[in-house]
């Protein structure tokens, strides 16, 4: 069944292998490409995903995350929020492509800027011979430093410094995990399990926001999607899973 839910990291996670099918306006033959942008309705996206299930058959768990919107701004706001929590390639790529398309439309309406003949911004010079020479110099310097020897006190100091750095890195990792757990995003979610023909039939029922023109969805299929299900928190506590 489709429902709106909050996507957030649970306290416990496990590795997951699954089939992943994206649906967005830039999937070949799916979206509608026009001079003003790329468009895809939730209905067409869902029908595309349902066809994948019908062609596969068998039994499995199915989960879909979907973002859709009536305006470009509202769509991008919801999509970027979800991509921050769950940066799957389909979400991050669509975010970049949609933003680039919008910027291109703005550029087309602007007059050419001045300074077209000015120098480009400075960038690091990196060619193979230059890199080889730099690496050789660094290696020679490291060898010279190692031959200089080190006192026992110096070795103890290096070990203490390493331990402190290791502890600092562990603390940063924990802080990053805590920060991830604090993120959340709303999305339309579909979950189903069992015969994929039956799941596909349920999938196309009551598609949310059918009049929307911007849509991106990602479907996950595996024997067991329990780990992914831990990220789904129903907005309505009475809603079924």
């Amino acid at each position: 069944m489709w429902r709106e839910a909050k996507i957030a990291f649970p306290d416990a996670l496990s590795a997951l292998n699954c089939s992943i099918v994206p649906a967005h306006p830039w999937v070949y033959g799916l979206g509608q490409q026009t001079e003003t942008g790329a468009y895809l309705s939730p209905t067409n996206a869902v029908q595309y995903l349902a066809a994948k299930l019908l062609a596969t058959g068998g039994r499995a768990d199915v989960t879909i995350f979907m973002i859709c919107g009536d305006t470009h701004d509202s769509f991008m706001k919801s999509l970027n929020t979800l991509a921050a929590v769950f940066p799957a390639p389909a979400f991050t790529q669509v975010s970049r492509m949609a933003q680039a398309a919008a910027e291109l439309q703005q550029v087309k309406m602007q007059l050419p800027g001045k300074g077209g003949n000015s120098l480009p911004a400075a960038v690091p010079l990196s060619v193979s011979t230059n890199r080889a020479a730099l690496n050789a110099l660094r290696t020679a310097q490291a060898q010279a430093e190692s031959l200089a020897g080190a006192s026992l006190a110096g070795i103890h100091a290096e070990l203490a410094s390493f331990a402190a750095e290791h502890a600092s890195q562990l603390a940063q990792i924990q802080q990053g995990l805590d920060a991830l757990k604090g993120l959340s995003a709303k999305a339309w979610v579909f979950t189903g399990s069992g015969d994929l023909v039956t799941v596909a039939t349920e999938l196309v029922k009551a598609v949310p926001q059918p009049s929307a023109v911007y849509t991106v969805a990602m479907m996950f299929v595996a024997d067991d999607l329990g780990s992914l299900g831990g990220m789904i928190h129903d907005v309505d506590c009475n809603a079924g899973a």
Side-chain angles (χ1 to χ4, degrees), residues 23-46 48 67-76 94 97-99 101-103 105-106 108 209-217:
H24 55 76
W26 288 274
V27 172
Y28 180 74
L30 180 57
Q32 181 180 6
Q33 308 291 328
T34 71
E35 293 183 356
T36 58
Y39 304 96
L40 175 64
S41 71
T43 301
N44 287 341
V46 168
Y48 171 80
I67 292 292
C68 44
D70 298 312
T71 66
H72 183 270
D73 288 344
S74 65
F75 172 71
M76 289 299 297
V94 170
M97 289 187 289
Q99 188 61 41
E103 292 174 353
Q105 292 302 317
Q106 293 178 354
K108 287 181 179 179
Q209 293 184 245
S211 62
V213 294
Y214 300 98
T215 305
V216 57

Side-chain angles (χ1 to χ4, degrees), residues 35-117:
E35 293 183 356
T36 58
Y39 304 96
L40 175 64
S41 71
T43 301
N44 287 341
V46 168
Q47 289 176 345
Y48 171 80
L49 296 176
K52 295 289 185 180
L53 297 180
L54 291 173
T56 302
R59 300 179 65 85
D61 285 355
V62 178
T63 296
I64 300 173
F65 294 164
M66 183 170 72
I67 292 292
C68 44
D70 298 312
T71 66
H72 183 270
D73 288 344
S74 65
F75 172 71
M76 289 299 297
K77 181 179 179 179
S78 297
L79 176 56
N80 289 336
T81 302
L82 179 59
V85 179
F86 194 75
F91 298 142
T92 56
Q93 289 171 4
V94 170
S95 177
R96 290 195 299 269
M97 289 187 289
Q99 188 61 41
E103 292 174 353
L104 179 60
Q105 292 302 317
Q106 293 178 354
V107 169
K108 287 181 179 179
M109 295 183 291
Q110 296 174 353
L111 294 175
K114 296 181 179 179
N117 293 323

Side-chain angles (χ1 to χ4, degrees), residues 3-16 18 63-65 81-88 91 177 179-191 218 220 225-235 241:
R3 77 270 195 194
E4 190 175 30
K6 183 176 72 172
I7 308 301
F9 279 95
D11 292 331
L13 274 176
S14 60
L16 175 65
C18 61
T63 296
I64 300 173
F65 294 164
T81 302
L82 179 59
V85 179
F86 194 75
F91 298 142
L177 179 58
L180 282 176
K181 289 182 179 180
L183 296 175
S184 66
K186 285 186 178 180
W188 290 107
V189 172
F190 175 90
T191 54
M218 182 168 273
F220 309 88
L225 291 175
S227 177
L228 186 62
M231 296 187 66
I232 302 171
H233 307 270
D234 288 318
V235 175

Side-chain angles (χ1 to χ4, degrees), residues 15 73 77 81 86 96 120 126 136 138-139 141 146 154 160 164 191 197 201 203 208 210 226 235:
D73 288 344
K77 181 179 179 179
T81 302
F86 194 75
R96 290 195 299 269
S126 180
R138 290 168 183 156
T139 301
Q141 183 179 3
S146 65
T191 54
V197 174
T201 302
L203 176 58
V235 175

